[in-house]
Each structure stands twice: as C-alpha cells, then as structure tokens.
Amino acid sequence: MADARRAPLKDQTDITGARVLIVEARFYDDIQDALLEGALAELKSAGASHDVITVPGALEIPAAIAIAIDAAETNGKPYDAAIALGCVVRGDTIHFEIVSQESSRGLMDLALSRKFPLGNGILTVNTEAQAWARARASELNKGGDAARAAIAMLRIKRRLAKA
C-alpha cells in the first residue's frame, strides 16, 4: 500500500562505495531496529557502506552528525551523506514539540550550511502504534525513505559536480 505512493527516482547516478553515516536515537529500541533495517536495506541496494553512531535521543542527532562529519574529514575518510533515525512520541507536555522541531531544524541547518546530503528519518507521532506503522519495512518504511532521500541528494550532488 505505502509503496504505491512512492514515485520511482529516475536519477541513477552511481554512488557505489559511498560512505554514509547513520545516527540513530535509541530511545525506543524495537522501533529503532525497524527503522535501521529499512535504511540498511536501501544502502545495501545502492552499494553504499555505512557507519552507525547511537545517541540517547533525537535532540542529540544533529550535533552527533556534525561532530562525525568533522572527524571523518580530519581523518581523511569523509562521509558522503548521513541518515538521521529516531522516534519522538507525543506525551502530556510540550517536550514533544521542542524535540520534534529542534531536531528537524538542526538537521535542516546542517544540510543547508554544509551542502550535505541528509535523510531525516526521525518519526514524530502521536502513539507508538503510529510509530510501528511508519517504522516497519513491510508498512511505511520511513527508515528506508530516509535512506532513499539521502541517496537521492547524494546522486544530485555527484551528478551536478560532473556538469
């Protein structure tokens, strides 16, 4: 059902051997496993390698990506793209809004300021049932979607660099 809404991406610029960073927030372990499964399947299909860094929550993801990008560049092994994976479930306080908005803002700032391909797979949901529907590869597969977004942006960057 969910796949019918996904338009196939026509750009097939080769990204074989690309290094992709996955930063995951392990607040909901089982949901995170499902998100990661979807992302890894997409990276494997594209021929990209990956590293995984785990952080406590979604607010830490943008900073961890920035730190890892700088460290990888310093070590001569730069990342080509990144994927953010996590889950924020609405509670009784405004904490949900803060975490959802600020993690998304941090990722957008990072992608724009560094011109860096990034896929945002941080789920922002009202219930755990909604999270599961979005996380499972057999359903909405948002981990896979985040990987596809990062891959699509990397393909654009590589194609335009050759133009």
Side-chain angles (χ1 to χ4, degrees):
M1 171 179 145
D3 285 334
R5 296 186 309 176
R6 281 190 192 95
L9 298 174
K10 295 178 182 172
D11 186 347
Q12 293 300 310
T13 301
D14 186 23
I15 63 157
T16 303
R19 291 190 71 229
V20 178
L21 171 67
I22 299 172
V23 176
E24 60 169 4
R26 279 259 162 205
F27 199 84
Y28 298 95
D29 275 335
D30 293 344
I31 292 168
Q32 192 56 40
D33 287 341
L35 288 169
L36 186 59
E37 176 186 340
L40 293 177
E42 291 297 325
L43 293 179
K44 182 178 180 180
S45 175
S49 66
H50 69 277
D51 292 326
V52 178
I53 295 174
T54 301
V55 297
L59 279 176
E60 291 78 28
I61 292 174
I65 292 173
I67 291 165
I69 289 170
D70 288 346
E73 286 175 3
T74 299
N75 293 327
K77 296 180 180 181
Y79 288 109
D80 298 297
I83 302 166
L85 297 176
C87 181
V88 184
V89 179
R90 185 179 300 277
D92 294 331
T93 68
I94 64 165
H95 186 68
F96 171 86
E97 283 82 8
I98 293 167
V99 173
S100 299
Q101 291 172 9
E102 292 303 311
S103 60
S104 292
R105 182 197 53 82
L107 293 173
M108 186 58 70
D109 289 351
L110 188 60
L112 291 172
S113 68
R114 296 187 183 227
K115 298 170 187 67
F116 192 77
L118 198 148
N120 183 352
I122 300 175
L123 304 179
T124 52
V125 296
N126 291 314
T127 66
E128 283 192 44
Q130 289 176 345
W132 277 112
R134 285 154 180 78
R136 286 188 188 104
S138 62
E139 294 185 52
L140 294 177
N141 193 16
K142 294 302 181 178
D145 282 350
R148 279 189 291 281
I151 289 166
M153 295 305 293
L154 177 55
R155 285 181 167 144
I156 290 168
K157 186 174 182 177
R158 287 196 174 174
R159 181 173 38 86
L160 293 176
K162 293 178 183 179

